[in-house]
Amino acid sequence: MGAARILIAEDEDGISSFLDGGLRAAGFSTKVVEDGSSALALARTGEFDLLVLDLGLPTRDGLSVLEELRRQGSRLPVVILTARSELDDMVGGLDRGADDYVTKPFRFEELLARIRARLRPGAAEETELRAGDVALDLFTRRARVGEREVELSAREFALAEVFFRNSGGVLSREQLLSHVWGYDYDPGSNVVDVYVGYLRKKLGDDAIETVRGMGYRLRL
Ligand code: CA
């Protein structure tokens, strides 16, 4: 099972390292950004399961990041970090169905509870990802091609899942590497190409297209 991936947008080093360390220890995989524009750009990649968003951020404030995400149709769950004094400004922009907030200073357990509550509904809804005649069962971690069951290793499944969640989009080697193997993995490694080869053997040679100089794209 891949760990849920949490994007942390927070410009205060002390808070971001506290969050980063705590969430990793709780079993999540994390990425920290320090400004609103980067937060928006990364939140739109589809690589994350939840965004922890500070309101006071350089380049673009958190509320504007949230509004733009929603305007573009993103349903990424967002947990907002806010100073008590900012609370009034924020409540108007909050979509209560998808978002939550924690006021600073907060206890880590409080944030963790909010994050778990926001992650759960999406995880329960979705049991299968489909593209063409291929289906990925997110519970059993198996794939089906037409009527045929196909065994995928844990890495192969994780890689397939990234492609299915970003169907039609080009994914760079770096994105795939960081998503499936972790941000600390050697960027010079050819492991992505090797595993794309494995997936082609199992899902069909044309399932994944090489986009020269850019990366790979699902073609199912
Ligand atoms: Ca801040």
Side-chain angles (χ1 to χ4, degrees), residues 59-212:
T59 72
R60 180 163 202 155
D61 71 64
L63 201 53
S64 141
V65 170
L66 178 62
E67 282 166 354
E68 185 59 19
L69 267 182
R70 294 293 177 250
R71 200 185 63 74
Q72 294 174 2
S74 166
R75 296 172 59 197
L76 182 70
V78 177
V79 175
I80 291 165
L81 301 178
T82 176
R84 208 161 277 282
S85 58
E86 296 168 322
L87 201 54
D88 285 346
D89 297 342
M90 187 201 68
V91 168
L94 196 64
D95 169 10
R96 295 264 175 188
D99 308 310
D100 208 341
Y101 65 90
V102 172
T103 52
K104 295 178 182 176
F106 56 89
R107 287 178 308 116
F108 182 74
E109 287 70 23
E110 185 188 350
L111 177 70
L112 191 58
R114 305 289 174 133
I115 287 174
R116 290 198 164 128
R118 292 297 136 192
L119 283 173
R120 212 173 288 133
E125 269 169 26
E126 206 168 28
T127 59
E128 191 176 88
L129 297 173
R130 296 192 66 92
D133 66 344
V134 181
L136 297 181
D137 186 319
L138 298 172
F139 282 152
T140 63
R141 316 295 285 178
R142 285 164 188 270
R144 247 183 11 257
V145 179
E147 297 298 303
R148 189 167 49 92
E149 284 259 328
V150 178
E151 287 290 335
L152 298 181
S153 71
R155 288 281 195 213
E156 289 166 354
F157 193 94
L159 184 61
E161 187 177 340
V162 179
F163 277 115
F164 276 62
R165 288 193 187 281
N166 295 277
S167 191
V170 178
L171 293 161
S172 69
R173 282 179 180 75
E174 291 72 24
Q175 284 174 312
L176 293 166
L177 196 60
S178 71
H179 200 126
V180 179
W181 284 268
Y183 280 97
D184 304 336
Y185 214 84
D186 172 13
S189 164
N190 71 343
V191 69
V192 169
D193 311 82
V194 171
Y195 271 78
V196 164
Y198 294 159
L199 281 184
R200 282 175 173 154
K201 282 205 185 89
K202 294 185 175 183
L203 305 182
D205 278 342
D206 298 331
I208 297 167
E209 170 187 27
T210 302
V211 182
R212 190 179 287 274

Side-chain angles (χ1 to χ4, degrees), residues 10-12 54-58 86 104:
E10 169 60 67
D11 60 325
E12 283 176 60
D54 181 34
L55 278 197
L57 288 174
E86 296 168 322
K104 295 178 182 176

